Amino acid sequence: AAQPAPETCRGPAPAPAAPKDVAAVPAPAVPKAAPLPDVGPLFEAAPSPARPQPRAKIPAREKPPAAPEAAPAEPRPKKRLPPVLAALWACVRFVVFVAATAVKLAALALIPLFLFWYGYTVDRNGWFQGEQYEREIAMAMLDGQNISNFDRMEEREITKLYAQNLYEAPAAVAIGSSRVLQLNRALAGTDSFFNAGMIGAEYPDVMDSYYLFDRVGLCPGTVVFGIDPWLFSAGPDANTFKRVDMQMYNEFLRFGLGHTDVEVATAEENMSFWLALTSPAFFHETMDYYIDNKENGMRPSVVQGDVMAQPTDVKMADGSLLYSVDFRNADQETVNATAQAEFTASLINCEEFYELDAAHVALFEEFIAYMQAHGSKVVFFLAPFHPNAYNWILNFPQRYSGFFQVENWLRQYAAQNGIPVYGSYDPEAAGCGEADFFDAWHVRGSGIAKYFPGVPAIEAARAVGTLPDPLAVSPRLPTAETDPVL
């Protein structure tokens, strides 16, 4: 018997094919199976793995609760001082605090104070007290010492330092060029006298000489003004300004005469000098400067022995000049020949001087009024020239026409302003002879004594109104109208 066809997952298996030699027998009809439900694909894509979640934090282990603190012991009650003692104690504590603070601040300030003091005292740049060499000369002169080697000194600086260190105003001061330097205390008639004359002085030097005393508030009672003819010249040889302290002169014009158009050092520039004193670098340079000067022996040469026998010129304690023994003792023939030769070459500082310069005249008049306004009584001092020299000048009325105008103009001005005049450029009018001169320019003390009575006598005459008439003396003038042909 035929076995039924096994069923598959898709339904009953198909019937086996009949053998070829067997007649085909139709297969019984099989009912159509119902369609299977759609169950989708046999295999589905695996889902993408999910993003790992962050790991949960493990909670920190809690600290066990601290044991409760013991209740603080109650402080013992302090004993209160009586109100009076409490206030006194508070004052003591405050005073101690202030004192301790002051000591600490003082200790901190010692270093800059020492730097300031040392820098100012040594003053390596001469900003505050002048160069050390000139400063020691000035201090020695104030102590009454005479100084040798006059030609190596800086007169302008020494005069400034001398005035800065005075304690009281002198009774009299002489100003001018080297032609007034023979005027000393004996000839002035007072011990309270200083000769501030300067070699080669031009008009700014003369004015500075007085201003040095004014700027420290020590204006002299009497000013003996040695007036040279070239102070009124605009010629080039009378205005070289080689030795002039222009900074001091500008200061005088600005603060002495009130010329506001003149520039001077500003307060900021001056302050920078003072601030430099506290600089460690400046202190180091100052120390080196002091050591070098000490080792090199840069010291003033105080006169030893007889001052009248010195081989060099001597700056006397009163500012006057004592020439060397050889120069003072030169024979008269040599002096006369020297004077003639000096003027034959030229009249120093008076070349190209044909008339009084109007600007110089105005400045001169302003300067006289300035000195009088500061309480100083003015005396005109005209130092004569050697007779041979003056006689030679008389031969050149045209070449030196300005020279001959000066003295007569000064006498007119003096008469109008009540100023006494002593001396004359003409040695004959001054009463001096050949023996009263060192050379063509400089009169000896013996010559000065012939026409200058001394400050006390002059002021006594001024007090009673018996000063000599400036117009009573007339210098000799050229008789010719033209210069000789040389």
Side-chain angles (χ1 to χ4, degrees):
Q3 297 292 334
E7 293 185 3
T8 67
C9 61
R10 296 289 184 176
K20 295 182 179 182
D21 53 351
V22 179
V25 178
V30 180
K32 186 177 293 186
L36 295 175
D38 188 6
V39 294
L42 294 178
F43 302 97
E44 294 184 0
S48 58
R51 181 177 299 175
Q53 298 297 324
R55 195 170 184 179
K57 293 183 179 180
I58 301 175
R61 186 177 298 176
E62 296 183 0
K63 294 182 180 179
E69 296 181 359
E74 294 183 3
R76 295 180 181 180
K78 295 182 178 180
K79 294 181 180 181
R80 293 182 176 275
L81 295 174
V84 176
L85 294 179
L88 182 60
W89 177 245
C91 291
V92 170
R93 293 182 61 186
F94 177 76
V95 171
V96 171
F97 170 76
V98 171
T101 304
V103 170
K104 294 177 182 178
L105 293 177
L108 292 176
L110 282 178
I111 295 177
L113 284 177
F114 174 76
L115 296 178
F116 188 92
W117 169 81
Y118 190 81
Y120 179 84
T121 303
V122 176
D123 195 11
R124 63 181 296 271
N125 293 325
W127 289 342
F128 312 101
Q129 302 185 70
E131 294 290 346
Q132 185 173 351
Y133 181 70
E134 284 79 13
R135 194 186 328 154
E136 294 183 0
I137 293 176
M139 297 308 295
M141 292 173 62
L142 285 166
D143 290 338
Q145 301 288 340
N146 302 316
I147 311 298
S148 62
N149 296 317
F150 170 76
D151 57 334
R152 300 181 183 180
M153 301 176 190
E154 178 47 61
E155 292 176 283
R156 289 150 182 81
E157 186 68 18
I158 293 172
T159 302
K160 179 174 71 174
L161 296 171
Y162 185 95
Q164 286 180 188
N165 290 278
L166 281 174
Y167 294 103
E168 61 181 3
V173 164
I175 59 177
S177 69
S178 60
R179 286 169 28 84
V180 77
L181 282 176
Q182 292 303 306
L183 185 60
N184 53 31
R185 287 174 180 167
L187 293 170
T190 174
D191 290 336
S192 182
F193 168 81
F194 183 75
N195 195 320
M198 302 175 184
I199 292 179
E202 300 176 23
Y203 72 90
D205 292 314
V206 175
M207 298 179 185
D208 285 351
S209 298
Y210 181 87
Y211 178 65
L212 292 174
F213 294 89
D214 174 32
R215 73 199 296 258
V216 294
L218 298 175
C219 294
T222 300
V223 177
V224 181
F225 189 175
I227 305 176
D228 293 310
W230 51 80
L231 294 182
F232 301 92
S233 171
D237 60 339
N239 300 274
T240 62
F241 299 158
K242 291 181 179 179
R243 304 181 183 182
V244 173
D245 184 348
M246 292 305 299
Q247 182 177 355
M248 182 63 65
Y249 179 60
N250 288 337
E251 181 182 326
F252 161 72
L253 292 177
R254 179 68 179 272
F255 301 113
L257 299 184
H259 293 188
T260 57
D261 57 334
V262 178
E263 295 183 0
V264 295
T266 63
E268 291 77 9
E269 292 172 342
N270 292 332
M271 181 59 67
S272 64
F273 293 147
W274 292 98
L275 293 178
L277 292 177
T278 60
S279 168
F282 187 84
F283 171 77
H284 180 71
E285 295 173 358
T286 301
M287 180 68 76
D288 292 342
Y289 171 81
Y290 178 78
I291 294 174
D292 290 343
N293 283 347
K294 188 173 182 180
E295 292 177 351
N296 294 337
M298 291 180 63
R299 290 292 181 269
S301 180
V302 176
V303 172
Q304 303 293 331
D306 184 4
V307 68
M308 302 301 293
Q310 297 300 311
T312 63
D313 296 345
V314 175
K315 184 75 168 177
M316 303 297 286
D318 63 2
S320 62
L321 175 61
L322 178 66
Y323 288 117
S324 66
V325 61
D326 291 340
F327 187 76
R328 297 197 315 270
N329 294 334
D331 61 86
Q332 195 60 52
E333 184 179 352
T334 301
V335 172
N336 293 345
T338 301
Q340 186 69 38
E342 288 173 340
F343 268 80
T344 301
S346 68
L347 177 55
I348 297 176
N349 297 341
C350 284
E351 296 298 333
E352 301 181 33
F353 181 23
Y354 305 114
E355 61 181 356
L356 276 66
D357 181 70
H360 286 209
V361 169
L363 192 59
F364 175 85
E365 294 177 341
E366 193 174 0
F367 178 56
I368 298 299
Y370 157 76
M371 290 192 291
Q372 292 175 331
H374 283 74
S376 297
K377 301 178 180 64
V378 181
V379 176
F380 286 174
F381 180 95
L382 305 185
F385 293 90
H386 189 283
N388 288 0
Y390 193 86
N391 293 337
W392 185 83
I393 299 173
L394 289 172
N395 295 320
F396 298 90
Q398 294 175 312
R399 181 176 177 181
Y400 299 124
S401 57
F403 171 89
F404 292 113
Q405 296 173 22
V406 173
E407 182 169 341
N408 286 332
W409 182 89
L410 282 172
R411 292 186 177 278
Q412 290 285 346
Y413 177 85
Q416 296 170 4
N417 292 274
I419 300 174
V421 180
Y422 294 94
S424 172
Y425 299 145
D426 180 2
E428 185 175 299
C432 297
E434 295 178 349
D436 293 319
F437 290 87
F438 292 110
D439 54 17
W441 313 92
H442 303 102
V443 62
R444 293 176 180 265
S446 61
I448 294 176
K450 292 180 178 180
Y451 62 83
F452 188 76
V455 173
I458 293 173
E459 296 308 327
R462 192 196 302 266
V464 298
T466 58
L467 289 173
D469 181 7
L471 301 178
V473 176
S474 298
R476 290 176 294 161
L477 297 176
T479 55
E481 297 180 356
T482 60
D483 294 350
V485 179
L486 298 178

